[in-house]
Amino acid sequence: MDYTKKIVYQSNYWYNDGLRKAQIRDMSGAIVSLRRSLQFNRENIAARNLLGLVYYGIGEVPEALVEWIISKNLRSYNNIADYYINTVQASARELETINLAIKKYNQCLAYCQQNGEDLAIIQLKQVVSSHPAFLKAHQLLALLYLHTGQYTRARQMVRQARKLDTGNELTLKYMHELTHQRGKQRRRTGKKKEDAVEYSLGNETIIQPKHSRVKEMASHLAVANIFIGAAIGAAVIWFLVAPAVNQSQNERMNDQMRSYSDQIKTLEAQVSAQTRTLDNYRASGEEVEADTNQAQTTQDSYESLMTVVDQYNSGEYSYATMADTLIGINRDSLGESGQARYDELTNEIYPSACDTNFSTGTEALDAGNYQGAVDALVKVVSMNAGYNDGQALFNLAQAYMGNGDNENAITYFQRVVDEYGDSEYAGEAQTNLDTLSAAAADTSSGDSSSDTTDSGDSGE
């Protein structure tokens, strides 16, 4: 067996091991096995896709997307990673929810560093509710419950974390700590029961504290000694025992806080890495969306071009009808042969279509149908902006002015003056341009005067 086959065999072995662990929800063990599989063969598509699913199962969505994108780049066809990526992309609301959960988680880490455990617990409850598969959020909430002595709730969070990942080392540590705390509570409960006597009376069980006749007699005979001993004991505790106990408690609390701070820093670094990964994925998602839009534009342009070719070959359609389709084609999105065919069709169709639409638009303008004139003349300008030495631009500006759209009217009158200053329409275009500009200035000053008057009336 050569080395290549050995490497492939080892990669498949660790993949199968990771698959078995993933089936019993040992996600941590599955991640270790699958990473070993990829160390032997980074192009093991099945191992990489399964690793992405394992990350997704414990709420590590950014890590899952990274693995699936790498898998897609390694094999772009017949790859189930396409389905996983498309499924995640199709739910923009889910991505936003995950991003918000990560931000809240980071805020909780900041609260913990500022001794704001109560605020962190409240926010982590929202994170766990909105993103139930977020393993690290369950673990941090369990840790906070442990730190604040809420052992029942901590046990509940640890159970949920255990369901997400049965073999996670941090979860197992928390379970061990909870078991230790439960043992302490049972020992305290056992001592309390030893100090009592239980007996049955009918159908009832009665618990009474033990009595000792010797202790009762001693207490009656030495009342004075008790008071004196209590005073001496209080003095000893106050001056000797209390400072030592306080110092021991302070040292223990400091050790716990240092350990807790180290865990928070580790979790914060992991979440920061996830946030950067998610930001990178969003950036790549925007590039993919732009490429998709470009591809759609190209497809639409080619489909429209083929439609015009069929119409032209059939001889059953007017040039004006075919020109309407040609206007909507983006020439830059076509290939070299497509652009050549597009130019042939426009050279053949546009002149006649311009004549037809110019005639229609001019008649509508003379009849006072300004919207109809705009619709027809816009097509003429789109096909040939210099039609009749600027007359199409001039008529379109008049149509906009008659329709009350002074902004577009000014734009096209200005084009006549700038681009066809030697034509017969330039003088009248300049006159209309001055009139519209003066009207706009009067309107603006009138509004300012009105605002000033209103302000003065308000002051009175």
Side-chain angles (χ1 to χ4, degrees):
M1 181 182 293
D2 58 12
Y3 287 109
T4 302
K5 290 183 179 180
K6 287 183 179 180
I7 290 173
V8 172
Y9 173 80
Q10 286 294 326
S11 178
N12 292 335
Y13 170 79
W14 287 112
Y15 164 72
N16 291 327
D17 185 67
L19 179 60
R20 285 193 299 270
K21 291 179 179 179
Q23 288 173 343
I24 61 174
R25 296 295 299 187
D26 182 7
M27 299 304 197
S28 296
I31 290 173
V32 173
S33 297
L34 291 171
R35 286 198 174 279
R36 287 183 180 176
S37 174
L38 293 175
Q39 286 176 355
F40 283 102
N41 181 12
R42 65 182 297 271
E43 296 183 0
N44 191 335
I45 301 301
R48 197 171 292 279
N49 289 338
L50 180 58
L51 181 58
L53 285 175
V54 170
Y55 278 131
Y56 190 84
I58 58 174
E60 305 288 347
V61 178
E63 294 289 345
L65 289 171
V66 167
E67 297 300 330
W68 291 333
I69 291 172
I70 294 174
S71 174
K72 183 178 178 181
N73 290 332
L74 292 174
R75 190 172 73 191
S76 59
Y77 62 93
N78 194 22
N79 191 341
I80 197 173
D82 283 331
Y83 170 76
Y84 298 148
I85 294 172
N86 292 335
T87 301
V88 175
Q89 284 182 335
S91 179
R93 181 176 298 178
E94 182 180 357
L95 278 177
E96 188 62 31
T97 300
I98 293 170
N99 185 34
L100 182 60
I102 292 174
K103 289 181 179 178
K104 287 185 176 181
Y105 181 82
N106 289 333
Q107 185 63 47
C108 290
L109 294 176
Y111 287 152
C112 292
Q113 291 177 339
Q114 300 167 4
N115 297 325
E117 287 87 354
D118 293 338
L119 292 176
I121 289 174
I122 293 172
Q123 191 135 311
L124 279 172
K125 287 180 180 178
Q126 299 175 359
V127 172
V128 170
S129 176
S130 63
H131 190 17
F134 198 175
L135 176 62
K136 287 186 174 62
H138 287 85
Q139 291 174 335
L140 181 57
L141 185 54
L143 181 62
L144 288 174
Y145 281 144
L146 270 170
H147 183 67
T148 56
Q150 303 179 55
Y151 300 119
T152 301
R153 295 181 178 179
R155 192 172 293 108
Q156 182 181 1
M157 282 297 105
V158 169
R159 285 184 186 139
Q160 293 181 10
R162 184 78 185 279
K163 290 179 181 178
L164 294 174
D165 186 358
T166 58
N168 187 273
E169 183 179 353
L170 192 59
T171 302
L172 295 177
K173 286 182 180 179
Y174 294 161
M175 290 184 66
H176 177 74
E177 180 64 22
L178 284 170
T179 303
H180 182 64
Q181 292 295 335
R182 178 181 288 182
K184 286 183 178 180
Q185 291 179 351
R186 286 179 178 177
R187 285 194 293 272
R188 286 196 295 268
T189 304
K191 289 181 179 179
K192 290 180 180 179
K193 288 184 177 180
E194 289 177 358
D195 295 335
V197 177
E198 296 184 6
Y199 63 91
S200 298
L201 182 62
N203 294 328
E204 297 181 354
T205 298
I206 299 175
I207 301 175
Q208 289 185 347
K210 291 182 179 180
H211 296 282
S212 176
R213 293 183 179 179
V214 175
K215 290 181 180 180
E216 291 178 358
M217 293 176 62
S219 63
H220 288 298
L221 295 174
V223 174
N225 291 334
I226 290 175
F227 283 108
I228 295 172
I232 296 173
V236 170
I237 292 173
W238 180 261
F239 291 105
L240 299 177
V241 179
V245 172
N246 290 335
Q247 182 178 0
S248 176
Q249 289 180 346
N250 291 334
E251 290 178 355
R252 186 167 58 254
M253 286 297 296
N254 290 334
D255 292 338
Q256 291 179 353
M257 289 303 296
R258 281 193 293 269
S259 175
Y260 180 60
S261 177
D262 292 339
Q263 293 179 6
I264 289 176
K265 290 179 180 178
T266 302
L267 293 173
E268 184 177 13
Q270 294 175 356
V271 173
S272 178
Q274 290 181 354
T275 304
R276 290 195 299 270
T277 303
L278 185 58
D279 292 339
N280 293 335
Y281 172 72
R282 283 184 167 176
S284 63
E286 292 175 358
E287 295 177 359
V288 170
E289 183 178 0
D291 293 340
T292 302
N293 293 335
Q294 180 63 30
Q296 185 63 42
T297 301
T298 302
Q299 179 181 349
D300 294 342
S301 296
Y302 271 107
E303 289 178 354
S304 298
L305 182 62
M306 294 305 298
T307 299
V308 176
V309 170
D310 292 339
Q311 292 174 348
Y312 182 80
N313 292 333
S314 68
E316 298 177 358
Y317 296 86
S318 65
Y319 282 175
T321 301
M322 290 185 285
D324 291 343
T325 306
L326 282 173
I327 291 173
I329 296 176
N330 183 358
R331 183 181 183 278
D332 294 335
S333 65
L334 301 174
E336 184 176 352
S337 60
Q339 290 180 354
R341 186 56 175 155
Y342 173 84
D343 293 338
E344 291 176 2
L345 290 171
T346 53
N347 291 335
E348 179 69 22
I349 294 171
Y350 274 1
S352 177
C354 283
D355 293 339
T356 301
N357 282 290
F358 181 77
S359 177
T360 301
T362 303
E363 290 177 1
L365 180 62
D366 294 338
N369 181 11
Y370 299 115
Q371 186 58 50
V374 168
D375 294 338
L377 292 171
V378 162
K379 296 177 182 179
V380 177
V381 172
S382 298
M383 291 183 285
N384 183 8
Y387 185 84
N388 277 4
D389 197 20
Q391 186 179 6
L393 287 171
F394 180 76
N395 287 357
L396 179 57
Q398 286 188 316
Y400 275 126
M401 185 171 64
N403 210 22
D405 189 352
N406 291 339
E407 183 176 354
N408 276 321
I410 291 173
T411 299
Y412 285 99
F413 279 135
Q414 189 66 53
R415 286 188 61 182
V416 173
V417 173
D418 293 341
E419 299 173 16
Y420 304 96
D422 297 334
S423 69
E424 59 181 302
Y425 312 104
E428 188 174 352
Q430 184 63 55
T431 301
N432 292 332
L433 191 61
D434 295 339
T435 302
L436 291 173
S437 299
D442 291 340
T443 302
S444 176
S445 63
D447 292 340
S448 300
S449 299
S450 177
D451 292 342
T452 304
T453 302
D454 293 342
S455 176
D457 293 341
S458 176
E460 291 176 4

